[in-house]
Amino acid sequence: MLRFTEEIILLLLNDDDGRFARLPNVSLDYALAGGVLMDLALENRIDTDLDSLILIDGTPTGDSLLDPTLADIAEVGGNDARFWVERTAVKAEALREEALRRLIEQGILEQIDDRFMWVFKSRRYPSIDGQAQREVKLRIMGVLFSDEIPDPRDIVIICLADACGIFKTLLSSRELESVTPRIEQVKRLDLIGQAMTQAIQDIELTLAASLQPHMY
């Protein structure tokens, strides 16, 4: 089973050229951080609501994507979901690299280094096992464009993707408008997903407000 962080990476990969969809770095950071926290919740290591995030069990999971954050929560303790999204997002680059390493190791992705212009190096990760990449996209789109009851993991992916603006990169404006009511309906099915979504949206609203010019 892939972790949410890995599935978010796959969700953002373009099927044709293996490059990432354009998404603000900060949004991707929050999505990856939220993915780790949601996996910890489903592993019954933490619980969270709109006001607090609680450690239930500090026993390591044995998973390299989850245990550093679990150990951090066990050491620091307390605080709410927003605090932990922001704190975990600081390590998002390491999470991304670890997720990509694991996807490559599993044979799901292949790393191809190439030259862009003369100086910059870019990486693209076309899928080797197309089934693994298509699976997450087909699952999510199947939920959004139908009335089928979503799996709990798909609810989480939809919550994170909506909070971080991922659907804006995957769907046309007309498609997004048509599925927005369905997204809202799915989000209401999971209380932890709601808490994580609210935490990410609060962070982004605060960040947007701080970038607005001051009025005198």
Side-chain angles (χ1 to χ4, degrees), residues 205-215:
L205 285 172
T206 301
L207 180 61
S210 70
L211 296 176
Q212 291 294 323
H214 294 290
M215 302 297 292

Side-chain angles (χ1 to χ4, degrees), residues 171-190:
L171 302 170
S172 69
S173 56
R174 178 173 296 180
E175 289 172 330
L176 184 57
E177 182 179 1
S178 71
V179 300
T180 294
R182 175 62 168 162
I183 292 173
E184 294 302 319
Q185 180 187 49
V186 171
K187 285 163 56 179
R188 289 194 292 270
L189 298 176
D190 185 78

